[in-house]
């Protein structure tokens, strides 16, 4: 009987990392000040007029996208951790973890990279560690 404790723990920790990414991004979006961003852009030497509403809308849109991707990745990791069972083939869950890692890492513009690495390791462990075939065991 093959226990899946390591995979479950890695998936849960990865989900927590993605949730932390979502919370941090939510705080950044909520506290974003477009006028401060405009001043910083002007201080860096850009002399063209800047539409602060456009900058605020872009930052808000990107932030919301990161939040959505982080939450979806966290949900997929939690589902994988809950569905991992000892003694069964779990190839689909391993592939799901690896896909969630790729989508989560790239979709959060690498702010969820650590969660993605944890999901990748868990997915590879799920795919590499297979239960023993009872018909092949002698004794």
């Amino acid at each position: 009987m093959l226990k899946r404790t390591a995979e479950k723990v890695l998936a849960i920790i990865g989900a927590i990392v993605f949730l932390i990414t979502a919370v941090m991004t939510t705080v950044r979006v909520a506290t974003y000040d477009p006028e401060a961003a405009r001043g910083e852009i002007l201080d860096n030497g850009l002399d063209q007029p800047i539409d602060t509403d456009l900058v605020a809308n872009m930052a808000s849109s990107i932030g919301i996208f990161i939040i959505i991707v982080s939450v979806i990745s966290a949900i997929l990791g939690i589902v994988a951790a809950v569905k991992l069972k000892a003694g069964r083939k779990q190839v689909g869950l391993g592939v799901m973890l690896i896909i969630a890692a790729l989508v989560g890492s790239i979709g959060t513009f690498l702010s969820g990279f650590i969660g993605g690495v944890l999901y990748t390791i868990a997915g590879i462990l799920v795919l590499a560690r297979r239960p023993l075939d009872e018909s092949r065991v002698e004794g």
Side-chain angles (χ1 to χ4, degrees):
M1 177 108 123
L2 180 65
K3 293 187 178 183
R4 298 283 188 184
T5 306
E7 292 90 333
K8 287 180 183 181
V9 169
L10 287 170
I12 290 171
I13 293 172
I16 290 170
V17 169
F18 276 115
L19 287 175
I20 290 171
T21 302
V23 169
M24 289 175 52
T25 305
T26 303
V27 169
R28 284 186 178 178
V29 168
T31 60
Y32 180 73
D33 183 17
E35 290 302 320
R38 181 179 180 271
E40 186 176 327
I41 291 171
L42 291 175
D43 289 342
N44 287 333
L46 185 63
D47 295 331
Q48 298 174 353
I50 298 169
D51 184 9
T52 54
D53 291 334
L54 178 65
V55 172
N57 287 338
M58 283 178 46
S60 177
S61 297
I62 291 171
I64 290 170
F65 178 76
I66 290 173
I67 293 166
I68 290 170
V69 169
S70 296
V71 169
I72 289 172
S73 296
I75 289 171
L76 288 175
I78 292 169
V79 166
V82 169
K83 288 194 171 235
L84 279 171
K85 302 254 192 269
R88 290 184 25 201
K89 292 184 180 179
Q90 303 288 320
V91 176
L93 291 175
V95 171
M96 183 177 79
L97 280 169
I98 293 172
I99 290 172
L102 290 172
V103 171
S105 294
I106 295 169
T108 60
F109 303 104
L110 297 181
S111 63
F113 177 74
I114 294 173
V117 168
L118 293 172
Y119 278 2
T120 303
I121 293 170
I124 290 171
L125 283 174
V126 168
L127 294 175
R129 294 174 51 193
R130 306 237 173 144
L132 291 175
D133 188 10
E134 297 296 327
S135 64
R136 293 189 330 186
V137 177
E138 295 179 20

